[in-house]
């Protein structure tokens, strides 16, 4: 499903050059649930962003499904993200000025769907994460766990084949974290969604199919 | 997407309130400026209605030592004959001080039927006045010597505008007009219309056509004011002007002044343009301020919303989509401001606040709407383009 070959990422600022990823190669199968661990600053987010086509590697090649990605235009990349990838972030990244339902609809705005269809799909996605009773709330009126469930609903509303989750439980206590983890496991098992999850929690990682460890930009396991 | 933009604008109404107010105020100011400009432009397009090339005006203080009306009449006639006999002179007419493009005005109020208290300019003229200014008659005739025999009513020639004010579409010739001017005397039927002249834009290019009424000059009037309109031949030069001036002051015994109508027009136009120029300068400063403010706020918003921009990119917005969204948001705010502004602007024609034609207001309104949209578009385009260039991964990084 996702194939990374010799990915290298160098960040250049005026004064320093950071080698964030050093020759990382990864093959992720369709339907796999992969977790990524490693100390802070080792390049986990960078790896996820590159997989999600939010960032370009300095060197190396990414294939998603049967598609090579290096020659895609900005518009094609956007469409690709819209159709195939759902993102979940540690800090949720909800838009506070939009109601829960409108936040969930967001990916569908960039597809040609009617308002009614969007509403229906968003409603279903919220049902899946157990938030049907919070559609008219604003994000600021929700708890952290609820916010992350909204973010998950937003990630799955467009039925992507891949979900990329960057420390989805990082801001939550263990009970809430487990709730979120259960939803992700269910998505993987029932819908066959491929999931890549960055985590600091060994217990969470244990529940996934495979664990990749990074250290200073290199894959060590 | 448009619904989404309105939703965002509505949910952020508190933050947007100031921006909308700013756009609203700019709209109102531009509406006022455009109203003035359209009004002036419409006036400018209206034909002058008379010729002022090669027309001079001689201005003098009538001699105080002539005491009887008869002897004044003789003085007046010989003065006229002297000027008329000069080879460079075509025609002359003695007149009141409100010659074309002068600061002086002379007016009264007249009534006919239900059209009461209509203010009109009054011009004292002689038989040749029409020829001197090449006035055109719409109906009826100009004054002749026969009108000097005083009857019950004073014969008058009115302009087309006054005809419309008094008589609408009905005939004017032969109608009797009442004068309302003097409070002491009961208003009385006084004037009989003998002709309708075409409108004369005698206060400059940018002045609206006003009501006008011409009466034959009477000698009593002549003792107070001295003005001669002189239509000269094209070959009349400065040397001739000197000779004319000298001849006149010798005959009159006081100082005299000769002006050319085309020069008077220039200074009159300038004077009329002053309020417009001031309005343009004030509006210009305001608009520059608003533009900078708008630009700054949009720029600031983009930096504040980097995370949101990154997120939108992640869920499928292209750079162009982000740019379109930000410009679209600004245009939505402008639309709200313009709806409120238009509500206020249409009150002017509805309540007829300044007695301007509704067409002037409507044109000005459309121009102001267009102007505000272009201004907002202009201020939003560059910040929007910058937002499109933000790298999604970097944007998501920022909290
Ligand atoms: N936009 C950037 N410009 C410069 N350097 C960057 C940028 N983004 C990341 N880095 C650097 O690249 C390295 C890897 O960063 P990354 O965010 O991938 O780490 P991480 O493993 O996700 O850490 P954490 O667990 O704290 O989230 C770090 O040294 C970081 O400073
Ligand atoms: Mg990270």
């Amino acid at each position: 499903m996702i194939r990374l070959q010799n990915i290298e990422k160098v960040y250049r600022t005026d004064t320093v050059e950071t080698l964030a990823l050093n020759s990382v190669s990864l093959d992720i199968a369709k339907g796999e649930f992969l977790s990524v661990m490693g100390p802070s600053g080792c390049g986990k987010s960078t790896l996820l962003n590159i997989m999600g086509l939010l960032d370009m590697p300095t060197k190396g090649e990414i294939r998603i499904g049967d598609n090579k990605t290096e020659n895609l235009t900005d518009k094609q990349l956007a469409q690709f993200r819209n159709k195939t990838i759902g993102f979940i972030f540690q800090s949720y990244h909800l838009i506070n000025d939009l109601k829960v339902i409108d936040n969930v609809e967001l990916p569908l705005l960039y597809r040609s769907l009617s308002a009614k269809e969007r509403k229906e799909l968003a409603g279903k996605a919220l049902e899946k994460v157990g938030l049907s009773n919070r559609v008219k709330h604003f994000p600021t009126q929700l708890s952290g766990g609820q916010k992350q469930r909204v973010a998950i609903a937003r990630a799955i509303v467009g039925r992507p084949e891949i979900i990329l989750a960057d420390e989805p439980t990082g801001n939550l206590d263990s009970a809430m974290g487990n709730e979120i983890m259960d939803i992700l496991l269910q998505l993987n098992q029932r819908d066959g969604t491929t999931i890549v999850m960055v985590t600091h929690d060994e217990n969470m990682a244990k529940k996934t199919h495979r664990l990749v460890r990074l250290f200073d930009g290199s894959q060590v396991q | 997407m448009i619904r989404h933009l309105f939703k965002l604008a509505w949910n952020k109404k508190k933050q947007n309130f100031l921006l909308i107010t700013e756009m609203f105020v700019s709209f109102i100011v531009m509406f006022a400026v455009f109203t003035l400009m359209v009004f002036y432009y419409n006036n400018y397009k209206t034909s002058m209605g008379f010729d002022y090339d090669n027309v001079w005006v001689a201005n003098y203080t009538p001699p105080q030592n002539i005491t009887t009306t008869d002897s004044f009449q003789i003085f007046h006639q010989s003065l006229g004959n002297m000027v008329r006999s000069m080879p460079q002179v075509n025609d002359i007419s003695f007149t009141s001080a409100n010659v074309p493009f002068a600061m002086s005005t002379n007016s009264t109020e007249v009534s006919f039927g239900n059209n009461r208290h209509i203010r009109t300019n009054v011009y004292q003229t002689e038989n040749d006045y029409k020829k001197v200014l090449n006035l055109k008659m719409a109906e009826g005739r100009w004054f002749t010597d026969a009108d000097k025999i005083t009857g019950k009513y004073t014969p008058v020639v009115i302009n087309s505008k006054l005809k419309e004010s008094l008589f609408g579409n009905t005939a004017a010739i032969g109608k009797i007009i009442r004068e309302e001017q003097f409070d002491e005397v009961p208003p009385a039927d006084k004037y009989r219309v003998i002709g309708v002249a075409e409108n004369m834009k005698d206060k400059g290019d940018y002045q609206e056509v006003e009501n006008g009424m011409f009466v034959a000059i009477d000698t009593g009037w002549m003792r107070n004011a001295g003005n001669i309109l002189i239509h000269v031949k094209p070959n009349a030069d400065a040397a001739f002007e000197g000779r004319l001036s000298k001849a006149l002051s010798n005959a009159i015994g006081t100082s005299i002044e000769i002006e050319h109508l085309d020069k008077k027009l220039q200074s009159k136009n300038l004077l009329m343009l002053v309020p417009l120029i001031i309005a343009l300068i004030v509006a210009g400063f305001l608009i520059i301020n608003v533009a900078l403010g708008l630009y700054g706020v949009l720029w600031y918003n983009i930096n504040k919303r980097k995370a949101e921009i990154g997120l939108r990119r992640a869920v499928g917005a292209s750079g162009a989509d982000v740019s379109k969204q930000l410009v679209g948001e600004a245009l939505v705010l402008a639309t709200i401001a313009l709806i409120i502004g238009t509500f206020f602007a249409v009150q002017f024609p509805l309540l007829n606040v300044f007695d301007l034609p509704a067409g002037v207001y409507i044109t000005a309104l459309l121009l102001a709407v267009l102007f505000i949209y272009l201004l907002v578009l202009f201020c939003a385009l560059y910040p929007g383009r910058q937002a499109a260039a933000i790298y999604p991964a970097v944007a998501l990084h920022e909290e």
Side-chain angles (χ1 to χ4, degrees):
Chain A
M1 185 85 231
I2 306 173
R3 164 172 281 184
L4 305 182
Q5 267 180 321
N6 299 317
I7 296 293
E8 191 180 304
K9 177 70 185 180
V10 181
Y11 285 114
R12 285 193 182 84
T13 58
D14 295 339
T15 47
V16 281
E17 249 183 37
T18 315
L19 185 60
L21 290 175
N22 186 8
S23 190
V24 175
S25 295
L26 257 181
D27 234 325
I28 302 164
K30 194 174 166 65
E32 197 173 357
F33 194 156
L34 182 91
S35 47
V36 180
M37 293 190 76
S40 184
C42 69
K44 304 182 294 294
S45 297
T46 306
L47 181 69
L48 221 60
N49 286 341
I50 285 174
M51 275 187 205
L53 307 179
L54 286 174
D55 211 346
M56 293 286 184
T58 316
K59 264 188 209 156
E61 196 185 88
I62 314 151
R63 273 169 176 271
I64 295 185
D66 296 326
N67 304 286
K68 280 195 172 185
T69 57
E70 64 250 37
N71 292 326
L72 296 180
T73 62
D74 178 66
K75 204 171 165 170
Q76 288 167 326
L77 283 171
Q79 254 165 31
F80 200 94
R81 287 195 292 269
N82 183 259
K83 295 253 159 63
T84 26
I85 300 167
F87 288 94
I88 302 169
F89 306 93
Q90 177 176 4
S91 49
Y92 326 122
H93 280 305
L94 299 179
I95 298 176
N96 285 331
D97 296 311
L98 290 176
K99 285 180 189 151
V100 163
I101 184 92
D102 296 319
N103 264 290
V104 175
E105 275 183 30
L106 208 59
L108 305 179
L109 274 179
Y110 301 100
R111 297 185 186 181
S112 42
L113 287 175
S114 73
K116 197 169 154 247
E117 288 171 305
R118 286 202 302 262
K119 205 166 188 154
E120 247 175 56
L121 287 171
K124 273 188 196 149
L126 280 167
E127 214 171 288
K128 261 194 180 159
V129 298
L131 271 183
S132 296
N133 53 345
R134 291 284 188 278
V135 284
K136 291 265 146 74
H137 285 59
F138 281 94
T140 45
Q141 300 164 322
L142 300 179
S143 74
Q146 287 170 330
K147 281 187 196 171
Q148 197 57 299
R149 283 193 275 160
V150 174
I152 294 174
R154 182 182 63 200
I156 63 174
V157 72
R159 302 188 174 284
E161 290 172 77
I162 302 166
I163 284 182
L164 303 177
D166 195 347
E167 298 187 46
T169 60
N171 280 358
L172 305 174
D173 65 26
S174 60
M176 288 236 208
N178 282 329
E179 242 175 66
I180 297 299
M181 192 60 198
D182 287 344
I183 296 173
L184 290 177
L185 282 168
Q186 208 180 39
L187 281 172
N188 175 250
Q189 280 155 18
R190 209 171 55 190
D191 303 341
T193 311
T194 310
I195 302 181
V196 180
M197 177 179 77
V198 171
T199 183
H200 280 294
D201 189 329
E202 293 279 354
N203 290 326
M204 301 281 182
K206 269 183 201 148
K207 295 182 187 171
T208 65
H209 301 155
R210 179 152 66 114
L211 170 65
V212 168
R213 278 186 200 276
L214 291 184
F215 189 79
D216 259 0
S218 301
Q219 191 181 346
V220 292
Q221 179 190 330
Chain B
M1 200 38 141
I2 288 181
R3 252 173 71 162
H4 182 71
L5 295 181
F6 269 97
K7 226 180 255 176
L8 264 178
W10 174 251
N11 292 344
K12 292 204 272 191
K13 47 191 174 295
K14 270 195 206 128
Q15 291 108 292
N16 289 333
F17 177 75
L18 264 176
L19 264 184
I20 292 177
T21 310
E22 221 172 56
M23 293 177 187
F24 167 79
V25 171
S26 316
F27 168 78
I28 293 295
V29 169
M30 288 320 290
F31 173 65
V33 169
F34 280 125
T35 300
L36 208 58
M37 282 170 73
V38 172
F39 177 64
Y40 274 31
Y41 177 72
N42 281 353
N43 293 339
Y44 181 76
K45 272 195 328 190
T46 313
S47 91
M48 211 60 162
F50 68 102
D51 290 345
Y52 53 85
D53 283 328
N54 300 317
V55 180
W56 298 354
V57 52
N59 186 295
Y60 60 89
T61 314
Q64 301 302 305
N65 53 354
I66 307 176
T67 45
T68 69
T69 304
D70 280 349
S71 51
F72 195 85
Q73 218 155 9
I74 292 165
F75 160 76
H76 172 215
Q77 239 162 34
S78 64
L79 187 66
N81 288 339
M82 181 199 78
V83 178
R84 249 185 291 266
S85 69
M86 294 178 145
Q88 285 89 341
V89 171
N90 278 335
D91 301 292
I92 72 157
S93 171
F94 285 86
T95 180
S96 39
N98 55 348
V99 294
F101 318 135
M103 296 300 151
S104 159
T105 59
N106 177 31
S107 66
T108 186
E109 279 181 9
V110 291
S111 299
F112 180 82
N114 290 327
N115 297 325
R116 308 280 312 273
H117 292 281
I118 296 183
R119 184 148 285 281
T120 176
N121 291 303
V122 181
Y123 307 91
Q124 306 275 339
T125 66
E126 289 190 311
N127 296 351
D128 279 347
Y129 184 90
K130 173 173 166 290
K131 250 202 281 178
V132 168
L133 293 179
N134 194 19
L135 281 184
K136 302 275 184 305
M137 296 303 288
E139 325 166 28
R141 60 173 180 84
W142 191 256
F143 303 105
T144 63
D145 281 340
D147 297 312
K148 293 222 169 90
I149 299 142
T150 36
K152 187 170 177 210
Y153 303 115
T154 311
V156 290
V157 172
I158 60 177
N159 71 1
S160 301
K161 168 118 190 193
L162 180 60
K163 182 205 159 180
E164 210 186 294
S165 310
L166 286 174
F167 308 110
N169 291 326
T170 63
I173 307 295
K175 295 266 167 67
I176 308 298
I177 306 176
R178 159 182 300 231
E179 177 155 44
E180 302 268 8
Q181 179 74 320
F182 305 104
D183 292 335
E184 323 84 78
V185 233
D189 287 344
K190 187 165 172 196
Y191 301 114
R192 190 169 55 85
V193 179
I194 61 163
V196 179
E198 286 189 353
N199 292 328
M200 180 166 110
K201 222 167 57 177
D202 67 322
K203 304 221 167 129
D205 278 318
Y206 306 105
Q207 174 85 345
E208 197 183 16
V209 166
E210 295 178 347
N211 292 324
M213 183 167 87
F214 304 91
V215 299
I217 205 160
D218 68 63
T219 325
W221 181 284
M222 286 304 302
R223 298 180 68 169
N224 302 321
N227 300 280
I228 319 173
L229 281 170
I230 306 167
H231 185 213
V232 295
K233 299 212 162 79
N235 64 2
D237 53 8
F240 166 68
E241 188 179 327
R243 262 180 285 135
L244 174 67
S245 175
K246 203 163 205 169
L248 281 172
S249 55
N250 283 342
I252 300 164
T254 59
S255 71
I256 74 133
E257 182 193 21
I258 294 175
E259 291 172 294
H260 298 203
L261 285 196
D262 52 358
K263 297 265 163 53
K264 279 177 91 72
L265 172 63
Q266 278 173 15
S267 47
K268 188 70 201 264
N269 280 348
L270 202 65
L271 201 73
M272 285 293 290
L273 285 177
V274 166
L276 182 65
I277 291 167
I278 291 173
L280 280 176
I281 291 171
V282 171
F285 273 114
L286 184 91
I287 293 305
I288 289 171
N289 262 311
V290 166
L292 288 176
L294 212 63
Y295 183 85
V297 169
L298 293 175
W299 184 265
Y300 172 76
N301 273 349
I302 283 161
N303 282 305
K304 217 175 55 178
R305 290 169 68 186
K306 270 195 175 166
E308 179 191 335
I309 291 166
L311 176 82
R312 285 178 187 271
R313 298 295 302 268
V315 302
S318 62
D321 287 331
V322 166
S323 167
K324 267 190 263 171
Q325 182 197 335
L326 291 167
V327 174
E329 279 178 21
L331 292 179
V332 162
L333 296 187
T335 304
I336 295 169
L338 290 175
I339 289 171
I340 302 169
T342 302
F343 172 79
F344 283 98
V346 294
Q347 303 306 314
F348 284 81
L350 288 181
L351 304 176
N352 198 9
V353 179
F354 292 118
D355 200 27
L356 293 179
V360 170
Y361 287 121
I362 289 165
T363 313
L365 189 123
L366 293 178
L367 286 173
V369 166
L370 190 71
F371 182 91
I372 296 296
Y373 271 132
L374 287 179
L375 179 77
V376 170
L377 191 68
F378 179 77
C379 293
L381 273 181
Y382 186 70
R385 278 224 333 248
Q386 289 296 302
I390 295 176
Y391 227 47
V394 175
L396 279 169
H397 217 74
E398 313 220 348
E399 273 304 275

